[in-house]
Amino acid sequence: MKVRIKFSKQGAMKFIGHLDVMRYFQKAMRRAEVNICYSGGFSPHQIMSFAAPLGVGITSNGEYLDIEVEDTEDLRTMKERLNGVMAEGFSILSCRRLPDDAGNAMSLVAAAEYTVSFRPGYEPENTENWMKEIAAFYDQEQIRITKKTKKGEKELDLKPLVYGMQAEGASLRMTISTGSTENIKPELILDAYYQAMGQERPAFAFQVQREEVYAENAGQKSPRFVSLEMLGECVE
């Protein structure tokens, strides 16, 4: 049986890199006695696939990993056992059964939603106005920026890759392209804004939290995206 696990990453755990998170969950599966499947060959490993790696320093309420298990145990029990071995900062939010032909989480990722806010002590004189100004900035027809890549630099129009942006009080909510095809980060959007203002993005001024990860809502015009969690079936 394929299972999709949704978890949060908060507090000091935001400083743990993706490879360490992978190793942590491998150990957690053993401690929680999850009957996870292993690959074959001379070096078997747990069959486990994460969705979109999270950058160091970013908290999240919507991280995902897919696993395969040997039996169809009660998923509520699996969630409770996993939460019983989680370190402070990690929390299992849901466990859902996937169809046998379901694609893994990583291959499905198309977008992600983030909340961006100022760290205490770094706020502008009028935070609410700043949030409205940057949201209005992205109402332009084109938002061009030079993005650094492994092969050098390339000019990029961010406008088609920003699916939604709005100010919510002292926070900025954005839904942006994420995945293997076109992957951008909230920091790139901030950089584009500050470049247009003739400034550099102030270091350490912002805190970013990922709220959700989405897949394309295949065959549907509305909504365009659906959370990875909703692609699974809740089984108690």
Side-chain angles (χ1 to χ4, degrees):
M1 181 174 72
K2 294 182 178 180
V3 177
R4 177 159 295 155
I5 298 172
K6 182 178 183 180
F7 66 96
S8 62
K9 185 183 181 187
Q10 298 291 336
M13 289 303 167
K14 69 182 180 181
F15 299 113
I16 304 299
H18 180 64
L19 292 178
D20 287 326
V21 171
M22 291 175 62
R23 286 189 281 265
Y24 172 80
F25 271 93
Q26 289 168 359
K27 294 177 181 179
M29 295 295 164
R30 292 193 290 268
R31 290 171 182 157
E33 297 182 345
V34 174
N35 197 9
I36 191 169
C37 295
Y38 283 77
S39 64
F42 293 103
S43 181
H45 59 272
Q46 294 178 4
I47 298 179
M48 177 184 296
S49 173
F50 285 76
L54 188 67
V56 175
I58 299 177
T59 57
S60 178
N61 288 322
E63 296 302 289
Y64 292 91
L65 74 149
D66 292 350
I67 63 173
E68 291 187 25
V69 294
E70 297 284 0
D71 52 46
T72 55
E73 71 168 331
D74 177 12
L75 295 185
R76 176 184 291 180
T77 301
M78 178 187 293
K79 176 184 173 183
E80 291 174 351
R81 290 213 309 265
L82 282 169
N83 273 325
V85 302
M86 287 291 109
E88 183 177 356
F90 283 120
S91 180
I92 305 301
L93 304 178
S94 70
C95 296
R96 289 179 173 249
R97 184 171 65 188
L98 297 174
D100 291 338
D101 60 350
N104 64 52
M106 181 179 291
S107 68
L108 295 173
V109 174
E113 185 176 19
Y114 294 87
T115 298
V116 178
S117 57
F118 284 94
R119 298 184 189 279
Y122 288 90
E123 303 92 339
E125 291 185 6
N126 191 318
T127 302
E128 187 173 350
N129 281 348
W130 186 94
M131 293 292 175
K132 291 180 180 179
E133 287 173 2
I134 190 173
F137 171 75
Y138 276 87
D139 285 337
Q140 300 177 85
E141 291 186 4
Q142 284 190 329
I143 307 296
R144 304 204 69 83
I145 191 174
T146 301
K147 181 183 178 183
K148 293 183 179 180
T149 67
K150 294 180 180 179
K151 298 181 180 179
E153 297 182 345
K154 71 173 182 178
E155 287 289 325
L156 183 66
D157 180 13
L158 294 179
K159 183 68 177 183
L161 306 178
V162 180
Y163 304 127
M165 179 180 292
Q166 60 182 356
E168 296 182 352
S171 299
L172 186 69
R173 196 90 161 190
M174 61 178 74
T175 303
I176 59 180
S177 178
T178 305
S180 57
T181 304
E182 289 288 358
N183 185 65
I184 62 173
K185 299 178 180 179
E187 293 86 349
L188 191 64
I189 295 173
L190 297 173
D191 287 342
Y193 171 75
Y194 278 104
Q195 283 184 22
M197 299 296 108
Q199 305 171 21
E200 288 189 10
R201 172 167 55 94
F204 312 114
F206 296 93
Q207 52 191 13
V208 179
Q209 175 163 279
R210 184 147 71 188
E211 304 294 350
E212 189 56 87
V213 178
Y214 298 100
E216 290 276 2
N217 195 6
Q220 301 294 324
K221 293 184 178 180
S222 180
R224 179 177 178 180
F225 302 110
V226 59
S227 71
L228 294 184
E229 180 181 23
M230 297 309 295
L231 297 178
E233 177 187 3
C234 183
V235 180
E236 300 296 347

